[in-house]
């Protein structure tokens, strides 16, 4: 079985004139949210072996929080993931297809579009998760996809199994 986790960076300081988009940092809430989502990923048995991360500061800081929770991962920063579209994300996933569980930490709209296309191609095993993914892909959101095939990455083999949003854990008092 193969797994793919797509995670959007956590909440960042707002963009204003004078602040470089690439260098925007996570807020305190963003750090806490990234860590809580990572803890939930691990609790569900989805620890990634490899993490591909955009080189933007907010993505790297999100990855740092995830890496503190996940054991044994190998992080690979990729400039190509900064504000990448679907094709760039697909290429990054295909280049790193050797991991049983691969995680990509990046940005919208490309990450959300990629997740929606994966769901369209491979389907979903959970109706509520597919509705949540179709609605939006907020900061510190993670979409989890599974494939029963162990061969090369083919989107049609990956079905959506869950969508986690950091605010869900805050609302229940878990964050």
């Amino acid at each position: 079985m193969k797994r793919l986790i797509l995670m959007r960076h956590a909440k960042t300081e707002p963009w204003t004139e004078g602040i470089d988009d690439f260098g925007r940092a996570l807020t305190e809430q963003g750090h806490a949210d990234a860590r809580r989502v990572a803890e939930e990923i691990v609790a569900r048995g989805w620890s990634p072996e490899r993490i591909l991360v955009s080189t933007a500061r907010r993505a790297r800081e999100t990855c740092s929080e995830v890496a503190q929770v996940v054991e044994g991962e190998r992080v690979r920063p990729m400039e190509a993931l900064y504000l990448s579209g679907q094709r760039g994300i697909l290429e990054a996933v295909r280049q790193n297809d050797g991991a049983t569980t691969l995680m990509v930490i990046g940005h919208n709209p490309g990450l959300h579009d990629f997740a929606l296309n994966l769901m369209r191609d491979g389907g979903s095993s959970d109706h509520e998760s597919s509705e949540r993914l179709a609605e939006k892909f907020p900061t510190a959101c993670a979409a989890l996809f599974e494939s029963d095939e162990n061969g090369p990455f083919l989107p049609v083999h990956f079905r959506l199994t869950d969508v986690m949003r950091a605010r869900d854990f805050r609302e229940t008092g878990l964050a």
Side-chain angles (χ1 to χ4, degrees), residues 1-16:
M1 175 175 296
K2 291 180 105 170
R3 295 179 173 141
L4 177 63
I5 304 165
L6 303 176
M7 183 174 181
R8 184 176 175 201
H9 64 79
K11 185 167 180 58
T12 64
E13 61 189 359
W15 179 87
T16 59

Side-chain angles (χ1 to χ4, degrees), residues 7 20-21 33:
M7 183 174 181
D20 174 39
D21 179 65
D33 287 349

Side-chain angles (χ1 to χ4, degrees), residues 1 17 26-28 52 80 95 105 117 130 133 136 138 163 173:
M1 175 175 296
E17 281 195 48
L26 293 187
T27 63
E28 187 177 321
L52 309 180
Q95 288 174 7
I105 300 175
N117 278 340
S130 59
L133 181 61
K136 63 182 175 176
V163 172

Side-chain angles (χ1 to χ4, degrees), residues 16-162:
T16 59
E17 281 195 48
I19 294 182
D20 174 39
D21 179 65
F22 189 82
R24 287 191 301 147
L26 293 187
T27 63
E28 187 177 321
Q29 185 67 57
H31 283 282
D33 287 349
R35 182 176 286 263
R36 181 61 189 120
V37 170
E39 289 169 352
E40 192 60 33
I41 288 169
V42 170
R44 295 179 190 198
W46 281 69
S47 293
E49 296 169 54
R50 186 174 306 150
I51 301 174
L52 309 180
V53 60
S54 160
T55 53
R57 180 177 177 179
R58 60 192 179 273
R60 287 181 292 118
E61 288 182 359
T62 299
C63 184
S64 178
E65 293 294 341
V66 170
Q68 290 180 43
V69 175
V70 177
E71 293 182 21
E73 88 296 331
R74 292 184 302 163
V75 175
R76 181 172 179 211
M78 298 184 74
E79 286 183 37
L81 289 176
Y82 175 60
L83 302 180
S84 181
Q86 297 176 59
R87 286 186 181 172
I89 296 168
L90 176 61
E91 183 61 30
V93 169
R94 285 188 171 151
Q95 288 174 7
N96 290 276
D97 197 25
T100 301
T101 301
L102 178 65
M103 181 177 210
V104 178
I105 300 175
H107 311 270
N108 275 355
L111 203 60
H112 188 209
D113 293 342
F114 183 70
L116 288 171
N117 278 340
L118 272 180
M119 182 178 68
R120 284 186 201 112
D121 289 346
S124 174
S125 62
D126 181 69
H127 182 70
E128 182 180 342
S129 292
S130 59
E131 286 182 339
R132 290 175 59 137
L133 181 61
E135 178 187 332
K136 63 182 175 176
F137 205 74
T139 55
C141 180
L144 309 155
F145 292 86
E146 283 186 316
S147 171
D148 292 329
E149 303 293 324
N150 285 320
F153 178 80
L154 293 172
V156 71
H157 292 160
F158 283 80
R159 68 189 173 284
L160 179 69
T161 60
D162 204 353

